[in-house]
Amino acid sequence: QVQLVESGGGLVQAGGSLRLSCAASGSIFSINAMGWYRQTPGKERELVATISNGGNTNYADSVKGRFTISRDNTKNTVSLQMNSLKPEDTAVYLCYAEVKRVSYRPYMAYWGKGALVTVSS
């Protein structure tokens, strides 16, 4: 089994900052991409940012210049530094990882349960 556990969500005023972290644990041979998605009621899950195991990053246009994704491959963790937060950033943020549990198996997608981020105006 593989578990992804997020931490760091909460309530912040517009213009403030929060940092989300996610730790992957369990039966892990290697991890490919990691990232963050977000979801609000009635909307589809939206990509926020991803990072490859080599450090290449990809951001949604709506968060470019405000959010920074990083990872620690030695600890199997991924973080999201969120600055200049806006009320429209309010969502449940879900951690994502492509994990290979054994060398001869393909990478599979795993998700955390989510961390609620609420930005008040």
Side-chain angles (χ1 to χ4, degrees):
Q1 287 283 29
V2 174
Q3 297 83 37
L4 300 181
V5 179
E6 301 99 337
S7 60
L11 173 64
V12 65
Q13 287 189 331
S17 299
L18 279 176
R19 185 177 181 86
L20 298 178
S21 296
C22 173
S25 63
S27 179
I28 297 172
F29 175 77
S30 68
I31 300 178
N32 193 15
M34 301 185 81
W36 294 91
Y37 286 67
R38 64 188 181 188
Q39 191 158 25
T40 54
K43 292 187 177 181
E44 290 190 0
R45 191 169 293 183
E46 173 191 23
L47 181 148
V48 177
T50 60
I51 184 167
S52 71
N53 57 8
N56 293 318
T57 59
N58 180 47
Y59 295 93
D61 288 343
S62 59
V63 307
K64 281 181 182 176
R66 300 188 298 123
F67 291 9
T68 302
I69 190 170
S70 59
R71 67 187 283 176
D72 185 335
N73 292 334
T74 65
K75 298 180 180 179
N76 291 336
T77 59
V78 62
S79 297
L80 185 69
Q81 178 65 42
M82 303 183 292
N83 299 328
S84 302
L85 282 160
K86 304 175 181 180
E88 51 263 43
D89 293 319
T90 295
V92 173
Y93 284 72
L94 299 116
C95 176
Y96 162 86
E98 297 172 352
V99 178
K100 182 180 286 192
R101 295 180 61 187
V102 291
S103 60
Y104 53 85
R105 293 285 189 183
Y107 286 100
M108 294 182 62
Y110 289 87
W111 295 87
K113 293 183 178 180
L116 177 62
V117 172
T118 304
V119 185
S120 63
S121 57

